[in-house]
Amino acid sequence: MLKKTAKPLAALLILMLAALGWYTNAGLEKAAADGTLELYTPYVELSAAPGESVSYPIDVINHGTSTAKAAISFDAGGNFWKYELTAGGRQVQQLAVKGGETQNVTLQLEVPLEINKGSYSFAVKTGAGETLPLKVNVSEQGTFKTELTVDQANMEGHSDTTFTYSAVLRNRTAQKQSYALTAQAEDGWDVRIKSDGNSVTSVELEAGAEKSISIEAKPPEQVKAGTYKIPVTASSGSTNTQAELEAVITGTYGIQLSTSNDVLSTDVKAGGERRVDLVITNTGSVPLEDVSLASQGTPTGWEVSFDPSTVRTIQPGATATTQAVIKSSGNSLPGDYVVSLTASSAAKSASADLRVTVKTSVFWGWIGVLIIAAVIAGIYYLFRRFGRR
C-alpha cells in the first residue's frame, strides 16, 4: 500500500519544490531590479528669472545585473509650471534599463511669467520608489505684462540738440503681441521711434521676447529754455505700457549778421577797395564761441577778407564788429554785383547778401566826355565844310 502511494507523493513534492523555487527566484529578481535603479543629476538646484526655461539632464542608472523596467514621472509639488520629460527627443513615461547601464532623461521646466520671487521644489520619481528632489530659485519678482524701460530717461542739451533715448520693450505675457508705438510731444517737436535703424510705428514680439528701440526727439527751432515731457506708449489689444522721457533745454542759439547801418549795399570803383563795417549779434540765450567770417559766390577776380576773421566769444544779447574788405577786379564792368557774407559758429550760422555797385573812375569819365566832345566837334566841322555844297 505504501509503495503505491509513495510515487504520487514524491511527484507532488517535486512540483511543490519547483513552484516554490520559481516564485522565490522571480521575487528575488524583481526585488533586485526594483532596488538597483538610481536617479542622478549634477544640477539639483538652479536659478532662473521669470519667463526663462530650466533644463535638468537626468541619468537613470541600473546598478543591478538584469534589465529593470520603471515608470518615470514628474511631481510638480503643487506648482503649476509647464514641463516636459523626454528621452531621445520624445516624451517618456516608462524606461527599461539594462543591467549596469544608464539611460538619459531630460526635464525641461518653464518658469511662469507671473510668479513671486523665491524657491520652488519639484521631484522626478520612478515607479520603484526612487525620488530625485529638485529646486528652482526664481531670482526676481515676475509679472504678466508689457515693460518699456529706458536707460536714461532725462537728457539735457541746447535747442539744436537731437535727444536720443535707448529703450527696451519686453513682452512678459504668454502670447505674441503686436505693439503700436506712439510718442506725444508738444507742437513743433519731431519725434521718431526707430528699431534696427529704421523708423517704425509698430513692432511684433513673441511671448517672453524683448526688443531694443531708440527714440529721437528734435526740438523746434524757436524752442524756449525749459523742461519738456515726451510720453512714449507701446500698446496692443490686451496690454500696454508707457515711459516718460524728459528733455531739458538749457538755452537757444541765435545769430544775426548785418552792417553797422543795416544797409546791405555799397559801391566800389573797378579795381578799387571798399571796407564795410559788419555787426554780429547773438540773439540766443547761450554764448557763441569761435564765430568765423567767410564769403561765398565772390565775383571772378574779386577778393574778400575780414578784419578780424574770427570772433572768439559773443555773449547772449551782445554784438561784435568786424570789417569786410572788398577788392573788385580791375576788369569789372559797371553794374551791380552780389557778395554773400557768412558768420558761422559750431552751433549756428547767419548770412547776408551785400549788393556792390561798380562805378567807373573819374579819369575815365573825363576821357568819355572828351571823346563825346571830339565826336560832336567832328560832326560840326563836317557839317560846316560840306553842308553848303
Side-chain angles (χ1 to χ4, degrees):
M1 182 69 178
L2 288 174
K3 290 182 179 181
K4 291 182 179 179
T5 59
K7 290 182 178 180
L9 288 173
L12 180 60
L13 181 59
I14 292 171
L15 289 174
M16 290 177 63
L17 290 173
L20 180 60
W22 174 85
Y23 178 79
T24 302
N25 290 336
L28 289 174
E29 286 182 6
K30 183 178 185 303
D34 288 345
T36 55
L37 288 181
E38 178 189 1
L39 297 176
Y40 170 79
T41 181
Y43 314 113
V44 294
E45 185 172 344
L46 295 175
S47 295
E52 290 185 344
S53 293
V54 182
S55 181
Y56 291 92
I58 300 172
D59 293 337
V60 183
I61 307 169
N62 184 357
H63 292 291
T65 57
S66 59
T67 301
K69 292 183 180 180
I72 188 165
S73 62
F74 173 69
D75 183 0
N79 302 299
F80 298 98
W81 291 27
K82 292 182 179 180
Y83 74 94
E84 274 192 343
L85 197 58
T86 59
R90 294 182 178 274
Q91 293 187 359
V92 62
Q93 292 82 32
Q94 191 174 40
L95 284 175
V97 186
K98 291 182 178 180
E101 294 188 3
T102 300
Q103 290 290 343
N104 303 115
V105 178
T106 299
L107 172 65
Q108 191 83 15
L109 281 175
E110 292 186 15
V111 184
L113 291 167
E114 190 173 13
I115 191 171
N116 293 323
K117 180 179 179 180
S119 296
Y120 295 82
S121 297
F122 309 92
V124 174
K125 297 182 177 181
T126 69
E130 292 292 332
T131 300
L132 177 62
L134 303 172
K135 183 180 288 187
V136 177
N137 296 315
V138 179
S139 57
E140 60 186 73
Q141 186 71 21
T143 60
F144 191 76
K145 61 182 181 181
T146 299
E147 292 180 350
L148 180 62
T149 57
V150 183
D151 290 344
Q152 179 64 48
N154 177 286
M155 290 192 176
E156 184 178 274
H158 298 297
S159 60
D160 60 345
T161 302
T162 298
F163 298 89
T164 303
Y165 305 86
S166 297
V168 177
L169 179 63
R170 295 181 177 89
N171 179 8
R172 293 191 176 276
T173 72
Q175 296 85 30
K176 179 180 179 180
Q177 302 287 347
S178 179
Y179 294 101
L181 304 176
T182 57
Q184 300 294 327
E186 295 189 20
D187 291 342
W189 283 74
D190 182 13
V191 182
R192 299 176 185 272
I193 301 175
K194 293 186 175 182
S195 175
D196 300 325
N198 300 315
S199 295
V200 296
T201 57
S202 65
V203 294
E204 286 190 351
L205 284 180
E206 298 290 342
E210 64 181 45
K211 193 171 191 65
S212 297
I213 61 174
S214 64
I215 303 99
E216 294 181 358
K218 187 175 182 179
E221 186 174 347
Q222 301 300 324
V223 68
K224 295 181 179 179
T227 300
Y228 296 84
K229 306 288 186 179
I230 307 173
V232 177
T233 303
S235 59
S236 67
S238 59
T239 178
N240 66 81
T241 185
Q242 187 180 85
E244 187 173 75
L245 309 179
E246 191 174 78
V248 180
I249 305 295
T250 57
T252 58
Y253 284 110
I255 187 172
Q256 188 177 48
L257 177 63
S258 187
T259 62
S260 58
N261 58 2
D262 290 330
V263 177
L264 295 176
S265 63
T266 187
D267 57 68
V268 67
K269 294 179 181 179
E273 177 183 296
R274 173 71 68 184
R275 286 179 172 264
V276 180
D277 293 328
L278 300 178
V279 177
I280 308 168
T281 305
N282 183 351
T283 58
S285 60
V286 292
L288 293 171
E289 305 290 342
D290 297 325
V291 181
S292 61
L293 282 301
S295 64
Q296 296 177 342
T298 305
T300 303
W302 289 42
E303 295 180 6
V304 179
S305 59
F306 299 90
D307 183 23
S309 60
T310 302
V311 179
R312 185 65 61 188
T313 303
I314 308 176
Q315 295 297 325
T319 61
T321 59
T322 184
Q323 279 191 333
V325 182
I326 303 172
K327 294 181 180 180
S328 67
S329 169
N331 297 324
S332 298
L333 299 175
D336 292 336
Y337 296 81
V338 175
V339 177
S340 295
L341 308 176
T342 304
S344 303
S345 70
K348 207 75 172 176
S349 64
S351 61
D353 290 336
L354 186 65
R355 182 169 59 86
V356 182
T357 301
V358 174
K359 296 181 178 180
T360 56
S361 66
V362 176
F363 172 77
W364 287 108
W366 282 111
I367 293 296
V369 170
L370 291 175
I371 292 173
I372 293 172
V375 171
I376 293 173
I379 294 173
Y380 178 78
Y381 170 77
L382 294 173
F383 179 78
R384 293 282 296 174
R385 183 175 181 177
F386 301 107
R388 293 179 181 181
R389 294 181 184 182

